[in-house]
Structure formats: structure tokens, C-alpha cells
Amino acid sequence: MSQLDFKPITLADQEWMTALLNEGHRGSLEYNFTSNFIWRKVYKLHASRFGDHLLVMADAENPTFIFPSGKSDPSDAVRALAKYTAERGVPLVFNTVLNQDQGRLEALFPGQFTFEPDRNDFDYVYQAKNLMTLKGKKLSNKRNRVNRFMASERQWSYERLTPENLDEAHLMSLTWCREAGCMEDEDLFNESCAVEQAFKHYEALKLTGGLLRAGRKVIAFTMGEPLNADTYLVHVEKAYNNIEGAYQMINQQFALDAFEKYTYINREDDAGDEGLRKAKLSYAPAFLVEKSSAKLIGLI
């Protein structure tokens, strides 16, 4: 019988999960407590500790796993997961394997896994200084939109997101969601559930963020947190689509406010949305964090 004990992720897990995440590479959004916590209901996420490794499972009825996070040899953790899935009559499938982990997995278990790149899950990572300055030909369109915003919205202002103005940003988020048709679009609805969790637990999750006003009205907000020592992870960014330059403005203002000590900014994946992919590519990412799924085809 497997010794793994998967339980739903709660705020009470924040300390021990974060400690184990700090022992790993923390190279993508999946290796972050907040990402797992705010999406836990959508993806039915559960977590278990195996020695000095963190194991995260999605959907117990059809389980897949994030490649184990930890500093030491992951082979025992992989074997434990193989036993766990075998007892349930399903194959071991990792839904997230970074390139360096693909190499480790193949070296530990040669020929026992098949790999399939998942472009929809690649994280977009940018040079922080580029998002702050918007210099260069590639970002000229972003500069122009920021300039047009400042010309048309003379009474704009930027504020850090705090407990005092959090409710205003939350109200703007709910309005944005209603106007975007979240209740009729499954992907937007799922995203709105995650955003609601970020608002509800903003302080407990130790998030930071900013908001943008036109006059007194909140028209954009964003929030995130450090992913590792040199990378900041942006979890959420929303702006009213009918206000030209609002997205570009909140992006730059938050960068100027929060990104100075970071080299890179991870703005997460595009989930296969063509419009979002085009927008994220238009900011000229420094690189993409490539990810694959992996399926056990042999015995280990």
C-alpha cells in the first residue's frame, strides 16, 4: 500500500510547502504556493510530502502530477508516485516537467517515460528593465500606447495595492468579469475563481500589487510575488479594454514600482489563448520556460 497521503491544499500548508519549494529550482509558476492555492479548486489540487520532496496532484479521479520539487535525488519520489498510480490502475503522468527535469528523469529511468511538449503551458519571462523602460524598437508600440494614455487621461494615478484600496480593485475585477462574460465562458470563469481567491487571501498570501486610476475610478490592477531570488511572478493583471493604453500603463507602472531588484519578470503562460499569446509575445520575452508532460511506459 502506498505511503503517500494526498490532501486538499489549504492555507495551513503554506509554510511547509513553501519551505520545500525553496529547496527546489522554482523555475515556473507551478513551483509557487500561491499558484497552487488560488487554482486549487479549479484543478482539484492535492499535496503530499515525501521526505524532502513536495508532491502536487491534480484531480484524484484521473491523477496527474507536477514533477517533484526538492533538492535531493527525486528517484524515490518518482517510484512512490508510480506505486500510488499503479494501485489505482492508472499510469503515472506528470503534467509539468521542465527541461532540466526531463533530462534528470531520462537519466534516472532511461527509456521509461515518453515526453510531449506543452506549448500552451510555457511561461513568458521578460527582462525587468525592459518592462520598466519600454526602450527599443520592439517595444515602441507599448511606449506609444502609454503616451496616448497619459495624453487622454490627464488625472491618472498609480497606487500600491493595500488593504485600504483592495476592495476598490476587487469591485473593478468583478465589473471587468461581468463585462467580459465570465459566466458564459468556462476559461474566464475558472480564471475569475482563482482571482477571487487572490483577493480573499491577499494579505495571508503576502502578495503585492498596484492599481491604476483615471480620476477616482480604478481602471486596472495587478498582483504577484517573488518566484525566486531574481524573478518576480505576476499572477493577475486586469484593465478595462475600452481604455486605450490601460494595460500597458499598469504593466509599466507596476514594473517601475516593484521590479527594480529583480532581473526577470515571469508573466505566466497563455493557456493556449491566441489573443493572449500574441499580447505576451509582443512584449519581446527574454525566454520561455518550456514544459512537457511525461508518461510512464515501463516498470521502475
Side-chain angles (χ1 to χ4, degrees):
M1 182 66 68
S2 172
Q3 297 179 347
L4 299 181
D5 183 20
F6 283 98
K7 295 181 179 180
I9 297 172
T10 71
L11 270 179
D13 298 311
Q14 184 176 16
E15 184 175 354
W16 74 266
M17 285 182 64
T18 300
L20 292 182
L21 287 165
N22 287 340
E23 291 297 315
H25 44 65
R26 305 185 73 196
S28 68
L29 69 92
E30 289 82 3
Y31 295 98
N32 169 264
F33 176 78
T34 296
S35 294
N36 286 283
F37 179 78
I38 65 176
W39 288 93
R40 71 195 187 283
K41 295 182 179 180
V42 174
Y43 293 117
K44 304 175 185 178
L45 299 180
H46 293 63
S48 177
R49 180 168 189 156
F50 182 82
D52 61 353
H53 281 86
L54 168 64
L55 309 179
V56 176
M57 174 178 68
D59 190 359
E61 295 182 3
N62 186 28
T64 63
F65 305 86
I66 297 171
F67 188 81
S69 175
K71 185 181 293 185
S72 63
D73 185 337
S75 55
D76 286 343
V78 173
R79 291 189 182 94
L81 288 172
K83 181 178 180 181
Y84 180 88
T85 53
E87 289 174 354
R88 285 152 181 79
V90 296
L92 171 58
V93 176
F94 290 112
N95 57 55
T96 302
V97 181
L98 304 188
N99 283 352
Q100 62 263 45
D101 291 325
Q102 180 173 335
R104 296 169 73 192
L105 196 54
E106 181 61 24
L108 290 168
F109 306 104
Q112 301 304 298
F113 285 87
T114 58
F115 299 93
E116 184 70 30
D118 190 350
R119 176 63 179 82
N120 295 344
D121 284 344
F122 288 10
D123 289 3
Y124 292 77
V125 181
Y126 306 83
Q127 290 279 354
K129 63 181 180 181
N130 290 346
L131 298 190
M132 295 166 69
T133 65
L134 298 179
K135 289 183 178 179
K137 184 177 180 180
K138 290 182 179 180
L139 297 177
S140 61
N141 179 261
K142 310 303 179 186
R143 289 196 308 276
N144 291 337
R145 287 180 177 270
V146 165
N147 291 334
R148 286 197 290 270
F149 175 88
M150 289 191 290
S152 63
E153 303 292 342
R154 298 286 185 174
Q155 295 182 319
W156 72 270
S157 60
Y158 169 84
E159 301 170 18
R160 290 183 178 178
L161 199 54
T162 67
E164 288 69 36
N165 58 25
L166 194 66
D167 286 345
E168 291 181 89
H170 186 204
L171 180 60
M172 179 259 159
S173 178
L174 294 174
T175 303
W176 184 98
C177 191
R178 183 173 63 252
E179 293 179 354
C182 286
M183 299 305 293
E184 292 78 40
D185 186 304
E186 183 179 5
D187 291 336
L188 284 177
F189 178 79
N190 288 338
E191 181 190 48
S192 72
C193 291
V195 173
E196 282 296 296
Q197 290 297 306
F199 273 112
K200 183 177 181 179
H201 302 286
Y202 183 80
E203 292 182 87
L205 293 170
K206 301 176 182 178
L207 298 173
T208 56
L211 63 78
L212 189 66
R213 295 183 190 271
R216 296 183 178 181
K217 180 182 178 181
V218 176
I219 61 169
F221 75 92
T222 186
M223 59 178 74
E225 65 185 309
L227 177 62
N228 53 45
D230 67 358
T231 304
Y232 188 95
L233 178 64
V234 176
H235 291 297
V236 184
E237 182 184 87
K238 296 295 179 188
Y240 286 131
N241 291 310
N242 63 338
I243 302 178
E244 185 179 10
Y247 267 110
Q248 291 75 23
M249 194 68 176
I250 187 62
N251 188 315
Q252 186 191 39
Q253 290 300 306
F254 189 48
L256 289 168
D257 182 39
F259 297 170
E260 185 174 358
K261 69 177 183 178
Y262 298 99
T263 304
Y264 298 110
I265 309 304
N266 183 318
R267 294 181 56 80
E268 302 194 339
D269 58 42
D270 60 37
D273 182 278
E274 291 185 11
L276 190 56
R277 179 169 298 182
K278 182 179 180 181
K280 293 196 173 188
L281 286 172
S282 71
Y283 267 96
F287 60 91
L288 304 184
V289 180
E290 299 181 3
K291 308 172 195 177
S292 299
S293 61
K295 182 178 181 179
L296 177 64
I297 57 173
L299 296 175
I300 59 176

